[in-house]
Amino acid sequence: MKNRLTVILLMLTLLLTACNTDINPKEHASELYSIALDAIMETDKSLNDDMEFIAIDMSNFDEVNEKQKKSILDYFEDKYKVKVMDATLEELKEKGYYNEDTFTLDGVLLTVQKVNFNVKNNIFFNGEKYRSAKGAIGVESTVHYKDGSWRIKKLKESWVS
């Protein structure tokens, strides 16, 4: 009887452990940011024409450490074959990447204004891509965890300049 109870408890424990699909999205923050930012890059591709760089403003990426930030930058450099840097618009202006006369960049600036990690398998991102005062878009996206990977579930332009 004791052996039978032990076997039943062991099987129940294994079954419950195998069925536990809880995933902590914050542990995948760099992957989630990469997916959301890449979705922004793929929206309104005309803003990418002849870009010389991609700047990603990571100043509010609280869930991402320095190693993860580097992996995000490396991903974009490998995919888009341009210089990629962590910079704000103000830093781009200081470095001479911003033309004050035309209010334009020779590249694009990606920013994330809001992230909501509160829903377990759906992470909401609100971001933008800036090329100039007359060339920018706002994007809202939801990244969803399904079948063992994170993917864009929903994407919409929220504004266009």
Side-chain angles (χ1 to χ4, degrees):
M1 181 72 173
K2 206 175 204 183
N3 285 340
R4 189 178 281 174
L5 183 59
T6 303
V7 169
I8 290 172
L9 284 174
L10 179 63
M11 288 176 56
L12 185 59
T13 302
L14 290 173
L15 187 63
L16 289 173
T17 304
C19 291
N20 184 4
T21 58
D22 285 346
I23 187 161
N24 182 354
K26 290 186 178 183
E27 292 176 3
H28 301 264
S30 63
E31 179 183 3
L32 292 167
Y33 276 98
S34 293
I35 292 168
L37 290 165
D38 199 29
I40 295 171
M41 278 299 294
E42 295 298 317
T43 305
D44 196 349
K45 289 186 178 184
S46 65
L47 295 176
N48 303 353
D49 289 346
D50 300 320
M51 69 179 170
E52 295 177 12
F53 66 86
I54 298 171
I56 303 172
D57 180 353
M58 297 185 182
S59 61
N60 64 345
F61 287 20
D62 299 329
E63 299 83 9
V64 181
N65 63 37
E66 292 305 313
K67 183 178 177 183
Q68 292 169 319
K69 286 180 181 180
K70 183 174 177 352
S71 75
I72 293 169
L73 297 173
D74 290 344
Y75 168 80
F76 280 89
E77 197 165 279
D78 289 343
K79 181 170 182 179
Y80 292 98
K81 307 297 185 215
V82 295
K83 179 179 180 174
V84 180
M85 64 188 105
D86 175 6
T88 64
L89 183 57
E90 289 71 33
E91 291 168 337
L92 292 172
K93 288 178 181 179
E94 290 171 9
K95 294 177 182 179
Y97 289 106
Y98 184 79
N99 185 322
E100 297 284 347
D101 297 328
T102 61
F103 306 109
T104 61
L105 294 171
D106 291 329
V108 296
L109 171 62
L110 304 177
T111 58
V112 174
Q113 288 83 25
K114 182 180 176 186
V115 180
N116 184 350
F117 279 95
N118 292 335
V119 181
K120 204 177 284 186
N121 290 342
N122 289 298
I123 312 307
F124 173 80
F125 287 88
N126 185 347
E128 70 179 54
K129 176 166 51 170
Y130 178 91
R131 182 75 185 250
S132 72
K134 294 183 179 179
I137 58 167
V139 177
E140 294 178 357
S141 63
T142 302
V143 181
H144 177 72
Y145 185 78
K146 186 176 181 182
D147 298 329
S149 65
W150 293 98
R151 299 182 182 114
I152 290 291
K153 179 179 181 180
K154 187 172 22 169
L155 178 85
K156 72 173 188 170
E157 288 184 25
S158 53
W159 57 267
V160 177
S161 168

